[in-house]
Amino acid sequence: QGRSGILLAGSPDFEKIIRKAARAVDVLIVGFHWGEEYKVRSGKRERELARRAVDAGAALVVGHHPHLPQEVEIYRNAPIFYSLGNFIFDQNLSKETMSGLVVEVTLKEGRIHAWRTQKVVLDKTFRPSLVEIGE
């Protein structure tokens, strides 16, 4: 208590720690460094951990590591972004690794009121630009 740290997904106190954190704040956002690189869909383990985090009190879950944007799920009214992809990164392996998502969340009365995503595209010098989804 009173200090920062990293919660390991395999901790036997995983839910307990998230519940305690959720009680201490208005909106708890849980971030995970997870998943298999270059996969376009999340894995079973990521889906289980995200849902456990929401069940324990997370209002929003954001994942990163696969270097590609992955699916978004709404679970018990909580958005789960399994991977935002790359924002600024020097991985010009493919069009997919040269893009990502930005999430904008609107809070109202201590709750997530709305959210939206925007696509990020990196140019050849790895500078990010926001573009409308569908471009």
Side-chain angles (χ1 to χ4, degrees):
Q1 188 174 21
R3 60 177 202 245
S4 62
I6 296 172
L7 172 59
L8 298 177
S11 169
D13 295 326
F14 180 83
E15 284 95 347
K16 178 181 171 184
I17 291 169
I18 292 174
R19 271 194 296 279
K20 184 175 180 181
R23 286 192 302 269
V25 298
D26 292 330
V27 177
L28 180 65
I29 299 171
V30 175
F32 285 98
H33 185 79
W34 63 12
E36 196 171 334
E37 289 184 332
Y38 315 117
K39 295 292 182 183
V40 296
R41 303 250 337 136
S42 63
K44 181 180 176 184
R45 180 172 186 264
E46 291 79 45
R47 290 188 298 274
E48 287 173 0
L49 287 170
R51 293 170 187 170
R52 284 174 56 201
V54 170
D55 288 341
L60 173 69
V61 174
V62 179
H64 53 89
H65 175 71
H67 299 288
L68 302 177
Q70 292 182 336
E71 75 272 20
V72 178
E73 173 185 21
I74 304 299
Y75 175 74
R76 296 190 172 189
N77 295 321
I80 300 170
F81 297 88
Y82 285 99
S83 175
L84 296 180
N86 287 337
F87 181 70
I88 299 175
F89 207 74
D90 63 346
Q91 255 189 350
N92 59 353
L93 306 173
S94 68
K95 185 177 178 180
E96 291 79 15
T97 60
M98 294 292 284
S99 68
L101 298 173
V102 171
V103 179
E104 180 181 331
V105 177
T106 304
L107 303 177
K108 185 176 180 181
E109 298 174 2
R111 305 188 76 124
I112 293 177
H113 175 70
W115 58 270
R116 73 181 185 121
T117 58
Q118 285 187 278
K119 186 175 181 178
V120 176
V121 175
L122 304 176
D123 69 16
K124 64 183 177 184
T125 63
F126 307 107
R127 260 187 325 198
S129 297
L130 291 174
V131 297
E132 292 300 318
I133 302 253
E135 283 187 36

